[in-house]
Amino acid sequence: MGLFNVSQPTVFLLTGIPGLESTQKWLAGSFCMMYTVALGGNIMVLLAVWEKSSLHAPMYYFLSMLSFSDMAMSLATLPTVFRTFCLNVRAILFGACLAQMFLIYSFSMMESGILLAMSFDCYVAICNPLRYASVLTNQVIAGMGLTVTARSFTTLFPLPFLIKRLPICRSNVLSHSYCLHPDMMKLACADITVNSTYGMFVLLSTIGLDLFFIILSYILILCSVLAIASREGRLKALNTCMSHICAVIIFYIPLIGVSTVHRFGKHAPRYVHVLMSNMYLFVPPVLNPIIYSAKTKEIRRNIVRMFH
């Protein structure tokens, strides 16, 4: 008997927000606005960095990578969210659902790796500024970007196959307007220990380690900042990291929240799961370009210049 010769539905049925089905068309306007801000804002950041040669520096290269991953994350969820809320078309093919799940997690892990690279950029800029140009060369930055991308796709490559080996027979109705691994896994009428264990392993060995090293880098940065004699110097040094700190907070807090709810909040109301998942997918792409445009004068000036 083949590995994937199991009972699986041809399609899954997506769900909007439980209890608010009658107002989904009104909610569609809010989602459209968020997608417009996420895609438009991140495109503006990418164009601002691309067009201005003075922004061809490590910090802005990493910011471009962050904007690209945010934009890709939004594009991965846009088709099914739009169809569910605007057109009331809930069906998605099994293969398309697996592909969407893979892309969502890949770009999410990529964003975590980029945030770690940005924390290293902040660490070198503050703790060892004289070696900044020699440490963060174009070759090193390109290597970091390729490593983050390769890690995301290779680590998550087994995930669709682990789902395909499960017999899905309880239902074909998912709890969200996009495909997530815990949501699909719970529909199986077989032992899901392997899927659950692998998912936890991936989460801790990649995103968990990224967060650990980000916290460690900021401990070292804080020690270096406290050694600066002048108050103005300390504030200036901390201000260079403020945008990155905000990006870390708005990415990791919803991610930790949705992971906790899916694993330990089995008896929580369905709308809690949906709310946490939507925060995890929508908040970073929407807020990151706003934060970096507000806190980075060079980005803000070039975006304003493009409109003029």
Side-chain angles (χ1 to χ4, degrees):
M1 190 174 184
L3 179 62
F4 303 129
N5 188 20
V6 294
S7 173
Q8 291 167 340
T10 306
V11 298
F12 281 115
L13 295 179
L14 302 170
T15 305
I17 299 179
L20 297 177
E21 289 81 3
S22 60
T23 59
Q24 281 189 174
K25 289 189 176 180
W26 295 99
L27 293 171
S30 301
F31 284 115
C32 287
M33 185 178 299
M34 285 191 287
Y35 276 117
T36 301
V37 173
L39 295 174
N42 285 297
I43 288 172
M44 287 291 104
V45 171
L46 287 170
L47 289 176
V49 175
W50 176 271
E51 290 187 353
K52 193 69 174 177
S53 58
S54 63
L55 298 184
H56 294 176
M59 171 186 171
Y60 301 107
Y61 288 145
F62 289 129
L63 178 56
S64 297
M65 295 180 196
L66 185 69
S67 293
F68 173 79
S69 65
D70 279 336
M71 193 166 60
M73 175 80 81
S74 297
L75 290 173
T77 59
L78 175 60
T80 55
V81 173
F82 179 80
R83 289 170 71 240
T84 302
F85 283 91
C86 298
L87 306 178
N88 199 29
V89 177
R90 298 173 56 199
I92 179 172
L93 293 174
F94 181 74
C97 197
L98 290 178
Q100 184 185 52
M101 175 196 70
F102 178 77
L103 291 175
I104 287 173
Y105 288 120
S106 293
F107 289 120
S108 179
M109 188 182 294
M110 193 182 301
E111 180 155 345
S112 177
I114 293 166
L115 289 172
L116 174 60
M118 295 175 81
S119 72
F120 179 69
D121 173 74
C122 291
Y123 166 75
V124 177
I126 293 175
C127 299
N128 207 344
L130 297 179
R131 295 191 59 197
Y132 184 82
S134 61
V135 171
L136 288 168
T137 62
N138 289 341
Q139 291 79 8
V140 170
I141 294 168
M144 293 170 77
L146 289 173
T147 301
V148 166
T149 304
R151 183 191 70 164
S152 301
F153 284 90
T154 55
T155 305
L156 293 166
F157 182 75
L159 210 56
F161 298 100
L162 289 175
I163 288 291
K164 289 187 73 173
R165 58 179 276 278
L166 294 175
I168 308 295
C169 54
R170 289 180 178 170
S171 171
N172 68 333
V173 181
L174 299 176
S175 303
H176 306 284
S177 51
Y178 35 79
C179 300
L180 297 178
H181 177 245
D183 206 14
M184 299 170 70
M185 183 175 64
K186 290 174 184 176
L187 300 180
C189 50
D191 186 16
I192 58 173
T193 302
V194 174
N195 291 65
S196 182
T197 302
Y198 186 75
M200 179 63 75
F201 166 75
V202 169
L203 185 66
L204 294 178
S205 64
T206 56
I207 294 177
L209 275 180
D210 290 346
L211 181 58
F212 170 77
F213 285 116
I214 288 172
I215 293 172
L216 179 62
S217 69
Y218 271 103
I219 291 173
L220 297 175
I221 288 170
L222 186 60
C223 292
S224 180
V225 168
L226 291 176
I228 298 174
S230 66
R231 181 173 179 273
E232 291 77 12
R234 291 195 295 270
L235 291 176
K236 184 178 180 181
L238 287 174
N239 192 53
T240 60
C241 302
M242 194 53 62
S243 298
H244 179 256
I245 292 171
C246 293
V248 168
I249 290 171
I250 65 174
F251 176 78
Y252 282 103
I253 288 182
L255 177 59
I256 293 170
V258 73
S259 300
T260 303
V261 166
H262 274 299
R263 291 189 176 275
F264 306 110
K266 295 180 181 179
H267 302 293
R270 285 181 62 194
Y271 66 83
V272 174
H273 291 257
V274 175
L275 177 63
M276 295 304 301
S277 297
N278 284 337
M279 286 181 63
Y280 153 61
L281 290 176
F282 288 108
V283 169
V286 170
L287 292 186
N288 277 336
I290 296 174
I291 290 169
Y292 275 96
S293 299
K295 294 293 294 181
T296 310
K297 281 192 290 187
E298 292 81 1
I299 294 291
R300 185 169 65 250
R301 287 172 180 171
N302 280 285
I303 291 176
V304 171
R305 190 177 294 114
M306 285 194 299
F307 280 105
H308 285 79

